[in-house]
Amino acid sequence: MTTVDRIPFVDLAAAHHAVADEVAAGFAQVLATTSFIGGAPVTEFEREFAAFSGRQHCVGVGNGTDAIELALRALGVGTRPDDEVILPANSFIATAEAVSRAGARPVLVDADETYQLVDPARVAEAITARTRAVIPVHLFGQLAALEQVQEVIGGREIAIVEDAAQAQGATRDGAGIGSAGPAATSFYPGKNLGAYGDAGAALTDDADLATTMRAISCHGSLTKYEHTHLGFNSRLDTLQAVVLRAKLRRLAEANEARRTAAARYDLLLSDAEKSLGIDLGRPQVAPGNVHVWHLYVIRVPERDRVLGRLQAAGIGAGVHYPQPIHRTVPFADHAPRPCPVTDLLAGQILSLPIYPEITDAQQQRVVETLMKALVDNDS
Ligand SMILES: *Cc1c(COP(=O)(O)O)cnc(C)c1O
């Protein structure tokens, strides 16, 4: 069997291979000291990741969902009984869970069809006297229209919390994640910057907010046994920080490799579109955005049949997400208005394998298999 035979959705083994020695050496140091919480690896990683993102402060936490909840809590969202937070229905359920956990009501709105990101016009319609925050989600690896969200918020006291779980290293008009408000990110293994287990972080330029977030994430305490805030426990493990530091050094290069892979798909797919005479809904990059291609999402007819064909051919394609948040059981009644774009996308979207190490030959086979699946109506 050649390496082209099975094409995974992400290749964590290849990513590990590149950092294996560095991680082993770092782990050995931590194991020798048995300091498993905090310490130099965590502080260093926080400093390096803040700098990488163009932000002043980073607070490492246990996962991305906690990071969103933490940012909301630190801003005081969820302290009043009717607090509402607006977010796109077209996201992973974690965004809504974090809002509920913070004590506020998630209000789900539709996406725009071109970029599949939160539609600022829909945000404007959903704002009420109870709205405390908006969470633009930088879905698939490009930043949402933050300046337009700011515009619809106007002079109101409504915070922005960026869900940047899929966008480490992405920029918009030169600014990194967390420029419009605190950003929350996830280092789940499959993310662009992935740990070896769960991990996450919150970023901000606001020193006071950073201090509050740090306290809340550590039992409401900055000094041991002095509890000044109602907190919880969500810390970035020292061992995970070792992994993240090693991988962060390679993140810019890995994101560049993803951009090369995305450009290659774009070319292969535009040829496929011409020869098949159909539109494959190739992803569009919004003006001003540098995309980091966490996911490469196209739109196809008969999506489930096509997905089945790709999977049967050993190609790890996926759907992000088959159930938009307003179609899930816990958040079924959380969209005040219909979300026709999100519903339409849910039936058509198909995520092709993308990772820094994907080869030209692998991408060609993905597109060839896709074309075959689209032309012969087996089933
Ligand atoms: C991964 C992800 C999260 C949650 O991150 P966890 O680390 O799994 O808690 C939140 N939002 C989006 C958009 C994600 O992709």
Side-chain angles (χ1 to χ4, degrees):
M1 288 217 169
T2 65
T3 50
V4 155
D5 280 333
R6 260 204 78 256
I7 303 174
F9 186 64
V10 291
D11 194 345
L12 297 182
H16 172 61
H17 185 75
V19 295
D21 290 346
E22 216 171 307
V23 167
F27 277 12
Q29 268 189 343
V30 175
L31 298 183
T33 61
T34 65
S35 296
F36 299 123
I37 298 284
V42 173
T43 341
E44 291 293 288
F45 172 71
E46 287 176 338
R47 196 176 48 75
E48 291 160 1
F49 187 64
F52 176 85
S53 308
R55 299 282 73 83
Q56 295 294 315
H57 308 278
C58 170
V59 179
V61 294
N63 61 69
T65 313
D66 283 357
I68 303 170
E69 179 186 348
L70 180 62
L72 291 168
R73 283 189 184 277
L75 289 163
V77 175
T79 49
R80 284 151 296 201
D82 300 320
D83 282 1
E84 294 175 354
V85 175
I86 300 171
L87 65 141
N90 193 38
S91 178
F92 182 52
I93 192 169
T95 324
E97 288 171 330
V99 172
S100 291
R101 285 262 307 262
R105 179 175 175 83
V107 174
L108 302 165
V109 300
D110 209 3
D112 81 275
E113 197 172 345
T114 308
Y115 306 114
Q116 308 178 7
L117 300 166
V118 68
D119 186 337
R122 303 287 86 81
V123 172
E125 288 170 357
I127 292 176
T128 69
R130 299 174 297 280
T131 307
R132 301 289 169 242
V134 179
I135 308 183
V137 180
H138 304 324
L139 203 67
F140 306 151
Q142 72 173 324
L143 269 61
L146 296 170
E147 68 294 334
Q148 290 173 47
V149 171
Q150 278 166 328
E151 207 174 294
V152 302
I153 288 173
R156 298 182 186 88
E157 269 190 47
I158 298 175
I160 292 180
V161 173
E162 302 178 28
D163 180 339
Q166 304 189 358
Q168 294 118 3
T171 60
R172 186 175 181 90
D173 299 325
I177 57 174
S179 71
T185 197
S186 162
F187 305 124
Y188 180 81
K191 299 285 158 80
N192 285 37
L193 181 58
Y196 291 178
D198 281 310
L203 293 162
T204 180
D205 281 335
D206 180 332
D208 292 338
L209 188 68
T211 304
T212 306
M213 291 198 292
R214 193 169 294 288
I216 293 174
S217 70
C218 192
H219 304 296
S221 164
L222 289 165
T223 308
K224 203 164 189 178
Y225 304 132
E226 261 179 50
H227 306 280
T228 48
H229 298 75
L230 173 61
F232 53 87
N233 172 21
S234 185
R235 293 178 289 231
L236 173 62
D237 286 343
T238 314
L239 290 171
Q240 299 301 348
V242 167
V243 174
L244 292 168
R245 288 192 75 199
K247 287 187 148 190
L248 179 60
R249 283 188 207 108
R250 294 157 176 89
L251 182 58
E253 197 187 325
N255 282 343
E256 195 55 49
R258 285 173 185 269
R259 279 190 284 275
T260 304
R264 217 186 272 143
Y265 268 142
D266 202 57
L267 213 63
L268 292 167
L269 290 167
S270 67
D271 286 347
E273 284 179 332
K274 277 175 218 140
S275 77
L276 298 176
I278 61 168
D279 182 352
L280 293 172
R282 282 176 288 130
Q284 305 296 309
V285 182
N289 270 355
V290 175
H291 204 308
V292 293
W293 301 100
H294 174 61
L295 295 170
Y296 189 94
V297 179
I298 60 169
R299 293 168 66 177
V300 295
E302 299 181 75
R303 193 270 319 283
D304 291 337
R305 186 184 64 79
V306 172
L307 175 65
R309 284 283 299 265
L310 289 171
Q311 287 173 340
I315 293 168
V319 176
H320 300 86
Y321 296 91
Q323 262 189 340
I325 303 177
H326 68 296
R327 298 296 174 192
T328 66
V329 172
F331 300 109
D333 59 346
H334 284 251
R337 290 181 180 75
C339 298
V341 174
T342 301
D343 284 326
L344 175 72
L345 292 171
Q348 299 179 339
I349 46 176
L350 178 69
S351 307
L352 300 181
I354 192 162
Y355 42 90
E357 303 82 7
I358 197 166
T359 65
D360 205 339
Q362 286 177 319
Q363 291 188 271
Q364 277 180 34
R365 193 164 88 81
V366 171
V367 174
E368 277 162 21
T369 312
L370 174 71
M371 284 177 74
K372 255 190 260 163
L374 287 166
V375 287
D376 38 273
N377 263 315
D378 54 5
S379 64

